[in-house]
């Protein structure tokens, strides 16, 4: 077990009707910058609930933050927030809105170009206070201090962490899931699944208790996932389980004392930057390749995963691992997601581009730093 420090300051309001609690968290007469996306919150009634709870405040709206939030859009929000001298920022949406808001909240306290803190040229400044109303369980962004920002003009998608940039609070109402398109539910299940494996399918040295927590999240997703996709309106409890799994998957809890991988994510981000694929889809494509190519380093954990998650115990080591990878891919497919690069018209050119880019960035990925750009190439090649 590795040494660790754990602190998570985010106050969570969980359950139906909790959006009304906004009035307890944001002081009356505050000037609030409210960030949101393309309008789903207007169609499902969340916008009205937020406005009712903030009736004592001055609300300045910044709509139009896109999926995979874009640097140029966020710069306009920073400008607006500075001009209006706002007191608080409220993100209402999924991971893109929350991540974008983390960038806005830090950027408002920075004089230079905020891209500086994404590329490590400057320390990320302490963020303006912000809270979130989560509408899509997937990223865990509502309870962590990370964010992923896209810069379409450069075809880049990069992350940053800001220990002084956690949300002050997050409101998680599982009924928000009722209006989600099935495609986004599938993305959220896969994203949560792979956040968990990034922290679980690594070295054999992790604490037994953390393995069991991670396995609990994976088994919950496998149990609840198919019903969430097939039901016309999934049950409240299934939605609540899904939402809680997503938050627990990436709020720092599963990372306690363990080695972490994140190669599948880093490679997946490139597929979004270059081809605009949904984040969850990129993970469903890449994951099998990472497990296949890294099977020797991950052997002990893959065998444990095969046995405890899929009840696969018969065969040689390689047969067991192959079978566990195949079962996982079948699970992603059963959610309606295709898992091959060729399904999305992506080929050799992209693989070569990513290999070169990772070499320029000096990126050796994985829990042991052994996924060289050549191994990244092999991972992607296995997914053609
Ligand atoms: O824009 P609107 O109209 O609101 O529609 C959104 C958007 O089109 C829609 N949606 C959200 N909630 C809805 C809804 N539609 C109907 N009903 C609802 N209740 O869903 C679409 C996708 O939303 P988005 O926020 O992009 O999805 P997600 O939560 O999957 O976020 C993806 C982003 O988060 C990053 C990803 O890279 C990507 O940029 N990630 C952030 C992480 C973090 N901060 O820790 C970790 C993750 O690994 C991930 O990288
Ligand atoms: Zn993710």
């Amino acid at each position: 077990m590795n040494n660790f420090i754990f602190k998570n300051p985010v106050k969570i309001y969980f359950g139906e009707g909790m959006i009304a609690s906004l009035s307890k968290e944001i002081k009356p007469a505050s000037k609030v910058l409210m960030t949101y996306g393309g309008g789903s919150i207007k169609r499902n009634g969340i916008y009205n609930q937020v406005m009712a709870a903030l009736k004592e405040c001055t609300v300045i709206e910044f709509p139009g933050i896109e999926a995979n939030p874009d640097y140029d859009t966020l710069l306009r929000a920073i400008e607006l927030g500075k001009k209006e001298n706002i007191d608080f920022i409220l993100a209402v949406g999924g991971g893109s809105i929350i991540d974008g808001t983390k960038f806005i909240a830090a950027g408002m306290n920075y004089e230079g170009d905020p891209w500086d803190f994404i590329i490590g040229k400057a320390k990320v400044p302490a963020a303006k206070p912000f809270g979130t109303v989560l509408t899509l369980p997937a990223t865990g962004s509502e309870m962590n201090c990370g964010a992923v920002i896209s810069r379409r003009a450069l075809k880049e998608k990069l992350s940053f962490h800001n220990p002084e940039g956690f949300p002050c609070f997050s409101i998680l109402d599982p009924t928000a899931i009722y209006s989600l398109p099935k495609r986004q539910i599938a993305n959220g299940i896969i994203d949560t699944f792979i956040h968990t494996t990034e922290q679980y399918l690594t070295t054999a040295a992790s604490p037994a208790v953390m393995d069991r927590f991670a396995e609990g999240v994976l088994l919950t997703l496998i149990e609840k996932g198919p019903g969430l996709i097939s039901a016309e309106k999934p049950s409240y409890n299934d939605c609540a389980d899904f939402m809680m799994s997503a938050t627990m998957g990436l709020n720092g809890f599963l990372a306690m004392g363990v080695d972490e991988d994140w190669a599948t994510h880093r490679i997946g981000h490139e597929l979004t930057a270059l081809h605009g694929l949904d984040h969850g889809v990129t993970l469903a494509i890449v994951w099998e390749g990472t497990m296949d190519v890294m099977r020797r380093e991950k052997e002990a954990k893959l065998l444990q995963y095969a046995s405890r998650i899929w009840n696969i115990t018969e065969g040689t080591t390689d047969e067991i691992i192959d079978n566990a990878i195949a079962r996982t891919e079948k699970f992603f497919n059963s959610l309606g997601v295709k898992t091959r690069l060729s399904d999305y018209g992506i080929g050799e050119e992209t693989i070569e581009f990513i290999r070169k880019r990772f070499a320029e960035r000096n990126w050796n990925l994985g829990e042991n730093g052994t996924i060289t750009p050549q191994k990244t190439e092999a991972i992607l090649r296995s997914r053609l």
Side-chain angles (χ1 to χ4, degrees):
M1 189 192 303
N2 300 334
N3 291 358
F4 65 90
I5 298 170
F6 178 78
K7 179 179 177 185
N8 191 312
V10 185
K11 180 170 177 182
I12 296 292
Y13 287 86
F14 194 101
E16 183 166 13
M18 283 294 195
I19 293 174
S21 312
L22 277 173
S23 59
K24 288 188 214 148
E25 289 294 331
I26 305 181
K27 289 198 202 86
S30 300
K31 209 167 178 189
V32 180
L33 179 68
M34 175 181 166
T35 53
Y36 58 96
S40 68
I41 61 166
K42 292 208 166 153
R43 293 186 291 276
N44 61 16
I46 290 177
Y47 175 90
N48 287 343
Q49 290 182 59
V50 170
M51 285 308 193
L54 294 184
K55 62 179 188 303
E56 309 286 334
C57 298
T58 303
V59 180
I60 295 156
E61 297 183 33
F62 189 86
I65 297 180
E66 52 284 271
N68 308 305
D70 194 76
Y71 167 78
D72 289 319
T73 307
L74 303 173
L75 281 191
R76 286 193 283 110
I78 292 172
E79 204 181 309
L80 177 67
K82 281 182 174 171
K83 186 174 118 223
E84 295 287 350
N85 201 14
I86 55 110
D87 305 308
F88 193 85
I89 315 177
L90 181 68
V92 186
S96 294
I97 309 305
I98 300 174
D99 284 10
T101 299
K102 289 175 179 172
F103 186 74
I104 298 165
M108 280 191 63
N109 286 338
Y110 188 66
E111 283 314 314
D113 177 354
W115 194 249
D116 288 350
F117 51 75
I118 297 211
I119 55 173
K121 215 171 128 188
K123 187 175 171 288
V124 197
K128 271 255 169 216
F130 69 97
T132 88
V133 174
L134 179 71
T135 66
L136 195 175
T139 63
S141 187
E142 65 281 4
M143 203 177 171
N144 68 39
C145 68
V148 191
I149 306 300
S150 293
R151 191 164 177 180
R152 285 166 178 74
L154 303 181
K155 289 194 181 294
E156 301 230 57
K157 181 174 181 185
L158 293 167
S159 61
F160 73 96
H161 286 87
N162 187 0
E164 294 184 75
F166 280 90
C168 301
F169 64 83
S170 284
I171 301 184
L172 281 58
D173 180 341
T175 65
I177 294 172
Y178 297 156
S179 62
L180 271 177
K182 296 299 180 192
R183 165 180 157 196
Q184 298 301 346
I185 294 182
N187 284 340
I189 294 169
I190 294 168
D191 199 15
T192 305
F193 196 96
I194 292 175
H195 292 157
T196 307
T197 62
E198 299 272 25
Q199 301 163 93
Y200 165 70
L201 285 174
T202 58
T203 55
S206 33
V209 67
M210 296 319 293
D211 280 359
R212 293 293 185 184
F213 280 121
E215 287 155 4
V217 174
L218 297 176
L219 290 168
T220 304
L221 295 170
I222 291 165
E223 184 186 325
K224 303 286 179 185
L228 286 162
I229 295 291
S230 64
E232 203 171 308
K233 185 182 170 195
S235 76
Y236 176 81
N237 282 340
D238 283 358
C239 291
D241 258 324
F242 171 32
M243 199 167 240
M244 207 168 157
S245 300
T247 301
M248 291 306 291
L250 198 53
N251 64 0
F253 180 82
L254 295 182
M256 281 192 267
V258 310
D259 290 317
E260 300 177 58
D261 180 347
W262 300 108
T264 298
H265 266 73
R266 294 276 188 94
I267 300 168
H269 286 169
E270 295 303 313
L271 296 177
T272 301
L274 299 170
H275 296 282
L277 263 49
D278 290 352
H279 173 63
V281 170
T282 69
L283 304 175
I285 297 170
V286 176
W287 183 88
E288 297 83 339
T290 311
M291 297 307 126
D292 184 20
V293 171
M294 300 311 292
R295 65 173 61 212
R296 286 286 84 85
E297 281 189 27
K298 293 179 181 293
E299 187 174 299
K301 270 310 183 52
L302 279 167
L303 292 175
Q304 180 177 314
Y305 169 74
S307 153
R308 292 191 188 171
I309 303 300
W310 298 110
N311 294 318
I312 304 166
T313 50
E314 302 288 316
T316 64
T317 297
D318 277 330
E319 281 165 358
I320 292 173
I321 292 173
D322 284 341
N323 205 348
I325 295 173
R327 287 290 293 277
T328 312
E329 183 169 19
K330 213 166 140 209
F331 172 59
F332 299 155
N333 295 148
S334 77
L335 303 173
V337 175
K338 295 199 171 107
T339 43
R340 287 272 166 189
L341 288 168
S342 47
D343 292 323
Y344 302 90
I346 298 173
E348 298 281 347
E349 211 178 309
T350 296
I351 298 177
E352 180 56 15
F353 183 92
I354 295 174
R355 186 190 60 74
K356 276 202 188 133
R357 185 178 249 186
F358 282 13
E360 278 159 22
R361 288 179 185 161
N362 225 348
W363 273 13
N364 294 307
L365 311 177
E367 60 274 17
N368 300 314
T370 50
I371 305 183
T372 57
Q374 288 72 21
K375 278 202 175 136
T376 291
E377 180 183 354
I379 288 169
L380 285 168
R381 205 167 285 285
S382 75
R383 304 308 300 153
L384 277 168

